[in-house]
Amino acid sequence: MVKKLGLDKKGQASAELIFITFIFLIVIGGILTLINSEMNQTQTGELGKARALGEKLAGAINAVNVAGSGYSVNFTIPANVTNPASVIVVNSTTQSVDMIYNGNKVSIKVIPKNLATFTTTSTTTDKIINIKNQDGNIVFS
């Protein structure tokens, strides 16, 4: 003789299955939130490194401007400062140093009005940029 499940037993099994599925979805959602949070913190840290480099470059540009004509400084962009590489733009139109990392742009204002436009990227090797004040004009090489 085969025993058949009554309606109450079938209903209880369905309720338990729905409850277990709900708990499983909550756990998976929590794990995904944790992973996303960690990735955002990493990206924020890398953007902070790019900004710090931009602020150092802006400081060097301002120092060359204040020191007067003929003064020059060698500025070193360290190897692998950000991964992936950052694009560094000295923008004469906005009078700023623009750091572009992963599609995010950070602008740092500089003092000099006569500023040559200059673009470079951070690379896997140290890069040295010469910043020079030529009769009040800031030029890069």
Side-chain angles (χ1 to χ4, degrees), residues 43-57 81-82 84-88 97-102 104 106 108 122:
Q43 290 174 347
T44 301
E46 290 292 318
L47 185 59
K49 288 181 189 177
R51 180 180 182 86
L53 178 64
E55 288 176 354
K56 287 179 184 177
L57 179 58
V81 69
T82 58
S86 297
V87 177
I88 304 161
V97 174
D98 299 333
M99 300 298 296
I100 303 166
Y101 170 75
N102 245 6
N104 297 313
V106 178
I108 300 107
S122 60

Side-chain angles (χ1 to χ4, degrees), residues 8 15 34 42 45 68 74 86:
D8 289 338
L34 182 63
T42 301
N74 286 330
S86 297

